[in-house]
Amino acid sequence: MRILLLGASGFVGGGLWTALSARHEVVGTFAARRVPGLVPLDLRDERALAGLAGGGGFDLVVHAAGLVPLEAAEGDPGRAHALNVRPVEVLLDAVRTSAAKVVFLSSDYVFDGTRSQYTEDDPRSPVNVYGRTKAAAEDLLLADGTHLVVRIPMVFGRSPWADTFLARMAAPTTAAQTDLVCAPLYLPSLGPALAGLWDRAGVVHYGGGEVVTRFELMTRVQRALGLPTRVVPVRDADIHPDCPRPPRLVLRSIRHALLGPDLDTALAHLAADVRG
Ligand SMILES: NC(=O)c1ccc[n+]([C@@H]2O[C@H](COP(=O)([O-])OP(=O)(O)OC[C@H]3O[C@@H](n4cnc5c(N)ncnc54)[C@H](OP(=O)(O)O)[C@@H]3O)[C@@H](O)[C@H]2O)c1
């Protein structure tokens, strides 16, 4: 299969690149973070995006690019729309006449966090700009009926070029919320799961196997890796006063049985990976 991976230079995209390029012919893109072997693409360059996606002979376009930091999106909704919504319109136009199917990485932030868990049938009600841009992009993709939206939760693990999750552990202290509950997803499990889902259309959820607070996640990562980092318990409003986050986000599926690994399994793998 020939795959275009938008955002291969990012945290999630790097993990997907590792998994997908082992089995498929993958063309990956970068924007600001130059990575040898990836091709440059600015999502706002509509001609370049349309030319690459529509003219590259791809079977699949995996879209993992955009503006992800929540505070950046909250502070500049216009930029968030330009990076998270408009490129999806351009992409869909570009692949309309080709056989390429789009697999779009969406987020649990399309929900408000008031339910104990969310399935694909639950109504969306995003509480911040980032979540609203992901929901708007989903609407564009779902109008067609042939493309796939994969909602994922907070992702953790190692990534080849943008190792942003573990970078948090490089500081002497890292703050982690005791009042945000999640079912985090171990990055290496995402590639194989996507490959098992990409024949589908519509929305699917792929969540992590265990429900924890952010504080518990970071504490268990710190212990599993034997790091000196001190994980400091905080309340979310104390560190993110300007961008609301839903208090509890647990993704579950009624469309398939795939679920990411539990934390002990994931952390044993991560520790072995880090030790090399
Ligand atoms: N990380 C999570 O926990 C999480 C959870 C749920 C959903 N997701 C979704 O997963 C996807 C990837 O997230 P991530 O955490 O990997 O974010 P990330 O590390 O910030 O990566 C974002 C990617 O988008 C690219 N990008 C940014 N601006 C661009 C532009 N103007 N033109 C072209 N490409 C541009 C970046 O390229 P450069 O780095 O080269 O600039 C990078 O490859 C996003 O769709 C996000 O919504 C992530």
Side-chain angles (χ1 to χ4, degrees):
M1 180 133 55
R2 188 167 155 77
I3 300 174
L4 174 62
L5 175 56
L6 300 174
S9 56
F11 169 64
V12 172
L16 289 178
W17 170 268
T18 304
L20 300 180
S21 59
R23 288 174 168 262
H24 303 280
E25 186 189 346
V26 184
V27 174
T29 71
F30 72 88
R33 187 184 288 110
R34 178 175 294 276
V35 177
L38 304 184
V39 301
L41 176 76
D42 189 324
L43 290 171
R44 292 162 297 188
D45 182 341
E46 299 189 359
R47 281 185 60 171
L49 173 58
L52 180 63
F58 297 106
D59 304 296
L60 203 68
V61 179
V62 178
H63 186 7
L67 184 65
V68 181
L70 268 63
E71 274 64 34
E74 202 70 14
D76 193 343
R79 181 165 168 244
H81 187 277
L83 287 173
N84 291 351
V85 185
R86 176 62 190 155
V88 172
E89 270 177 311
V90 175
L91 179 60
L92 291 172
D93 273 350
V95 301
R96 198 150 284 140
T97 52
S98 75
K101 173 176 184 168
V102 178
V103 175
F104 175 68
L105 285 187
S106 191
S107 164
D108 52 2
Y109 278 110
V110 299
F111 297 115
D112 63 10
T114 56
R115 296 187 183 208
S116 62
Q117 62 178 44
Y118 289 92
T119 72
E120 292 91 346
D121 283 353
D122 285 316
R124 301 166 309 170
S125 46
V127 300
N128 54 38
V129 169
Y130 170 77
R132 285 194 281 279
T133 62
K134 299 304 279 189
E138 287 187 355
D139 288 340
L140 294 167
L141 281 140
L142 296 173
D144 180 288
T146 60
H147 301 296
L148 178 65
V149 168
V150 182
R151 292 192 191 124
I152 56 173
M154 178 195 178
V155 180
F156 71 102
R158 264 183 124 185
S159 186
W161 303 297
D163 208 8
T164 45
F165 178 79
L166 286 186
R168 288 183 57 186
M169 291 298 194
T173 62
T174 187
Q177 300 95 325
T178 53
D179 57 344
L180 295 190
V181 174
C182 56
L185 182 64
Y186 187 49
L187 181 54
S189 77
L190 180 58
L194 270 195
L197 293 170
W198 64 40
D199 283 347
R200 292 164 181 257
V203 183
V204 293
H205 287 181
Y206 181 56
E210 194 170 333
V211 178
V212 287
T213 64
R214 296 277 184 105
F215 177 72
E216 183 178 353
L217 169 67
M218 297 310 280
T219 302
R220 285 172 66 179
V221 170
Q222 179 264 331
R223 282 195 202 128
L225 299 183
L227 297 170
T229 326
R230 193 165 63 86
V231 182
V232 180
V234 293
R235 296 188 71 76
D236 188 56
D238 294 335
I239 55 170
H240 297 128
D242 300 324
C243 180
R245 283 164 166 76
R248 181 184 174 94
L249 290 172
V250 177
L251 292 181
R252 291 294 178 255
S253 181
I254 52 173
R255 298 192 61 198
H256 62 81
L258 295 175
L259 198 59
D262 60 59
L263 273 186
D264 283 343
T265 306
L267 292 176
H269 183 275
L270 179 63
D273 189 20
V274 168
R275 278 196 303 269

